[in-house]
Amino acid sequence: MITWWAPIAWAVASGAVVALVVWQVGRARTKARDRLPVAHAERLTALPAYRRALAAYRALVVGFVLCIVALIALSAVLTARPATVTLSSPELHNRDIVLCLDVSGSMISYDAAVLDVFDSLTEEFTGERISLVVFNASAVTYFPLTNDYDYISQQLDRLGTELADDDPSYYDGTLLGNGSSLVGDGLASCVTRFDRQQDERSRSVILVSDNFIAGEQIFTLPQAAALAVDRGVRVYGINPGDSSEKDYLREYAVEFEKAMNDSGGAYYPLNDPAVVPSVVESIEAEQAAVIPGAPLVTRTEHPELWIVLAFVGLAGLLLLAWRLKR
Amino acid sequence: MQTRLYIHAHRAVRGLIEGEYRSVFHGRSMDFDDLRPYVPGDEFKDIDWKATARYGSPLTKRYIASRKHTVVLVVDTGRDMAALGAGGESKRDVAILAAGTIGYIAIRHGDLVALVAGTEKKTEFVPGELTEAHLERLLQRIQSSTRLDGAKSNLRTQLEYVSRLFRRRMIIMVIGDDRALDEAEQKLVRRLAAQHEMLWLSVGDADLMREDWAKRDMYDVADSSGVPTFLRENPRLRAAFERSVIATAESTDELFESLSISSRRVTDEDSVVPGIFRLLEAHKHARR
């Protein structure tokens, strides 16, 4: 927008500049008249001491100019506020995951695969807490929710080894109920393993079971799923027993799938332990998709180095200015 | 004082002794000596027209000088001399005072005072006369032609002029400054010293590292280049400069000694008169 006074302002500014130039030129003339005329200045300028002094002075001036340039460059850098930008989904690091493993005989290889995957996943975790619960007739907390990843890794390794070596100690305490593979009870136990209910955390259970129940359970699977919904826990089911050849299992599988979907989780039927890693990956992705809130952009500024350099430059400038002034 | 001071002419001998000076100088007198070819600068009235007519080219009569010496003031009037001297005043003023003092002594003594003055570009010659008014004119000439906006200095031009044009033995009084003489100039001066009585008065150049000038701009009149202020406060450079000034003065003294020239360096107006007296005394006692 052009205002009426802009031309006047320009005229005044130009006038001021012209006046300043005229004044400066006049001053330079007066000064020139004031100069001392001497003859044979080579008496001084031809001296080696003079050349040395001049070289030293030039070095000072060059240093001074370099300091100014460095300072300007550094202030430009600092004005630009150098930073690194990281994209993170904080809620993913805010997860509590309970691994809920059915340790009845048919499930061992699938359990081992899940343990393997989580063992490697712990290396990337920051802030996630994991708990491991094994169940058969009754549920046993192998370790509670923790983010001590060394410990988790160690425990997962231990259970993996026990499963692989068929060391019976892995099912210690899991046979105290009435029957075996009581999935409903197992899931209910896992759901109740979450602590810090007042914290805003994403809670999920990864349930590995074939839902092949023998015996009398306190919670049915749908009831356990309802409990999970109640507590805001999503359940992801991995069912190795869902196979088309075994028609008699269909009913269980359908029930399992429904329960999982009701809880807001997902259901993965499979019949090969090698597929487990990709399943866990898809659970991760699913969680990322489900968890509300945009990914957080973290801007971390790194002015330290530049500030230090700028201070060094400033100190150099002051030092050189002092030397030059002298 | 004035009557006792005079510029001593060492080499005497050929011819007549008259008055106080024993003289080898050709001048005008009643005593005809011989004829020689005319050279520029000879008086027209000395031309022997009859002999010229016989000979075919101009011939000048030579007489044995009666008593008069000619003191030639060789003065640099280039812009170097308008610059500041060691005492802080213009070297021109010191040079004029020196020329005036010497001229006055010479005139009082009955010698002619001539002037060879000039710059790099041109040299002017004012023939000798015996009056104080003439001396005054000479001094005015020096005064008016020595300017900061004048031509560059080159004393060599004036020395060459003297060596080219002056055949007769004269008393040459050079008034210059601290300028160093190069090889060719030393040779020229050596030749002049052999032919003439030669005295050299240097007006000292400004102390470039003078402390009360350290804040003021300074420039070399030869090429208008500045002498940077920021270095003129450097104490180490000042010490080096002082040493070099002393060393240069000593080597200049030695040089003039080796050239058989009496020389003296004056720094300011106050040192001119005593300096000239010393110079004349030293010249009188020197073995040339």
Side-chain angles (χ1 to χ4, degrees):
Chain A
M1 193 177 98
I2 298 168
T3 46
W4 62 268
W5 48 263
I8 301 172
W10 275 112
V12 168
S14 319
V17 168
V18 168
L20 195 71
V21 167
V22 167
W23 181 61
Q24 278 294 330
V25 168
R27 228 171 61 123
R29 283 231 181 101
T30 329
K31 226 181 153 195
R33 238 179 287 134
D34 207 32
R35 292 163 83 202
L36 297 166
V38 295
H40 310 305
E42 70 274 4
R43 288 174 300 144
L44 176 65
T45 53
L47 293 178
Y50 177 85
R51 257 176 255 136
R52 273 199 302 276
L54 193 63
Y57 185 80
R58 283 200 180 126
L60 278 179
V61 170
V62 167
F64 189 74
V65 169
L66 284 182
C67 273
I68 289 180
V69 169
L71 264 186
I72 291 173
L74 286 170
S75 14
V77 169
L78 278 173
T79 312
R81 298 173 67 182
T84 49
V85 175
T86 45
L87 205 68
S88 60
S89 313
E91 306 227 359
L92 275 180
H93 300 298
N94 217 6
R95 287 180 301 177
D96 289 345
I97 299 169
V98 172
L99 301 178
C100 201
L101 307 183
D102 182 347
V103 288
S104 60
S106 56
M107 298 301 300
I108 299 300
S109 55
Y110 294 94
D111 292 342
V114 169
L115 290 176
D116 260 6
V117 172
F118 271 88
D119 199 5
S120 58
L121 275 182
T122 49
E123 288 175 12
E124 299 161 19
F125 283 173
T126 51
E128 288 95 335
R129 296 194 303 165
I130 294 180
S131 171
L132 177 59
V133 175
V134 293
F135 70 91
N136 194 352
S138 55
V140 168
T141 302
Y142 212 84
F143 56 85
L145 280 170
T146 178
N147 55 6
D148 183 347
Y149 300 119
D150 285 342
Y151 174 73
I152 291 171
S153 179
Q154 185 192 326
Q155 291 300 312
L156 294 180
D157 280 347
R158 196 180 120 201
L159 182 58
T161 320
E162 284 172 6
L163 291 174
D165 299 351
D166 211 15
D167 181 348
S169 57
Y170 66 84
Y171 53 82
D172 281 354
T174 61
L175 302 171
L176 300 176
N178 184 12
S180 83
S181 208
L182 303 177
V183 177
D185 290 357
L187 180 57
S189 301
C190 291
V191 167
T192 54
R193 288 299 185 269
F194 292 100
D195 56 356
R196 292 159 64 174
Q197 291 296 328
Q198 72 282 5
D199 285 6
E200 287 267 332
R201 294 181 78 85
S202 151
R203 298 184 173 82
S204 51
V205 170
I206 294 176
L207 174 62
V208 183
S209 173
D210 55 3
N211 198 20
F212 192 69
I213 300 153
E216 197 157 323
Q217 47 187 5
I218 302 163
F219 279 83
T220 63
L221 189 57
Q223 281 172 336
L227 181 67
V229 173
D230 224 28
R231 300 198 170 207
V233 176
R234 278 189 295 279
V235 184
Y236 297 89
I238 297 175
N239 183 4
D242 185 358
S243 143
S244 49
E245 302 100 72
K246 302 175 184 169
D247 273 352
Y248 64 100
L249 291 172
R250 174 149 312 277
E251 196 184 326
Y252 299 127
V254 168
E255 183 197 36
F256 196 172
E257 182 169 8
K258 186 174 180 305
M260 297 303 103
N261 290 335
D262 285 351
S263 78
Y267 172 75
Y268 301 94
L270 48 92
N271 45 21
D272 181 1
V275 191
V276 168
S278 63
V279 168
V280 172
E281 206 171 283
S282 71
I283 291 174
E284 292 262 304
E286 166 100 2
Q287 281 185 321
V290 164
I291 289 164
L296 192 68
V297 179
T298 315
R299 246 180 78 97
T300 318
E301 297 201 6
H302 303 289
E304 303 87 1
L305 174 67
W306 308 110
I307 284 185
V308 167
L309 284 179
F311 268 108
V312 169
L314 189 65
L317 194 68
L318 291 176
L319 191 72
L320 290 176
W322 172 69
R323 283 293 308 173
L324 282 174
K325 184 78 193 120
R326 233 158 50 83
Chain B
M1 192 81 162
Q2 284 151 2
T3 49
R4 282 198 289 125
L5 267 170
Y6 56 92
I7 303 168
H8 191 83
H10 285 101
R11 202 134 1 117
V13 252
R14 177 149 71 93
L16 209 89
I17 301 169
E18 198 174 308
E20 290 178 79
Y21 286 84
R22 300 181 300 155
S23 172
V24 294
F25 300 109
H26 292 287
R28 221 172 295 113
S29 73
M30 299 303 288
D31 304 295
F32 172 74
D33 191 8
D34 61 355
L35 286 170
R36 63 163 175 78
Y38 170 84
V39 290
D42 284 353
E43 294 270 357
F44 288 138
K45 56 185 174 191
D46 287 345
I47 295 178
D48 185 338
W49 297 108
K50 284 180 180 169
T52 301
R54 279 200 300 278
Y55 188 68
S57 65
L59 291 173
T60 311
K61 285 178 276 192
R62 287 217 281 194
Y63 300 90
I64 293 171
S66 53
R67 52 170 285 198
K68 291 189 186 90
H69 289 279
T70 303
V71 175
V72 183
L73 299 172
V74 179
V75 184
D76 176 6
T77 55
R79 60 178 181 242
D80 274 6
M81 286 303 278
L84 295 173
E89 63 262 83
S90 170
K91 287 194 288 183
R92 179 191 62 188
D93 299 345
V94 181
I96 288 171
L97 182 62
T101 310
I102 289 167
Y104 185 73
I105 292 171
I107 285 170
R108 292 297 291 226
H109 193 260
D111 292 335
L112 298 170
V113 179
L115 175 70
V116 172
T119 63
E120 179 186 65
K121 294 224 174 71
K122 66 168 195 170
T123 302
E124 45 187 354
F125 170 61
V126 184
E129 279 183 38
L130 197 75
T131 62
E132 283 179 25
H134 171 71
L135 177 61
E136 189 63 35
R137 276 197 298 280
L138 295 187
L139 299 184
Q140 271 168 10
R141 201 148 187 168
I142 299 172
Q143 161 96 25
S144 61
S145 54
T146 308
R147 289 194 315 269
L148 278 175
D149 55 357
K152 280 189 185 181
S153 286
N154 191 354
L155 195 57
R156 182 179 182 165
T157 321
Q158 282 74 55
L159 294 174
E160 274 170 355
Y161 182 95
V162 169
S163 82
R164 215 166 45 239
L165 291 179
F166 294 161
R167 292 278 176 88
R168 296 181 309 175
R169 189 172 173 85
M170 291 177 173
I171 297 172
I172 309 279
M173 177 81 217
V174 181
I175 299 178
D177 60 10
D178 276 344
R179 175 172 175 276
L181 297 176
D182 64 26
E183 280 299 314
E185 285 165 347
Q186 287 178 23
K187 215 170 148 192
L188 175 64
V189 170
R190 193 187 297 277
R191 183 172 113 33
L192 283 176
Q195 188 185 355
H196 304 283
E197 292 283 331
M198 205 154 172
L199 297 90
W200 197 294
L201 190 77
S202 313
V203 180
D205 264 304
D207 178 3
L208 299 175
M209 297 295 285
R210 202 160 125 164
E211 279 184 52
D212 52 337
W213 287 350
K215 300 276 181 220
R216 294 179 61 186
D217 285 343
M218 188 181 268
Y219 71 103
D220 190 337
V221 292
D223 50 7
S224 294
S225 60
V227 185
T229 319
F230 47 84
L231 294 177
R232 279 189 281 126
E233 290 181 85
N234 186 329
R236 235 178 299 165
L237 186 55
R238 181 168 289 143
F241 180 70
E242 274 160 16
R243 277 198 303 276
S244 114
V245 165
I246 292 167
T248 309
E250 279 171 5
S251 69
T252 309
D253 279 352
E254 277 168 26
L255 172 68
F256 281 127
E257 192 61 38
S258 75
L259 294 174
S260 309
I261 294 173
S262 305
S263 70
R264 185 93 197 160
R265 183 174 185 265
V266 292
T267 52
D268 53 14
E269 294 193 1
D270 293 342
S271 71
V272 166
V273 174
I276 286 172
F277 287 172
R278 291 264 165 70
L279 174 63
L280 296 181
E281 280 298 307
H283 182 69
K284 189 173 173 180
H285 297 297
R287 294 185 180 280
R288 302 289 186 216

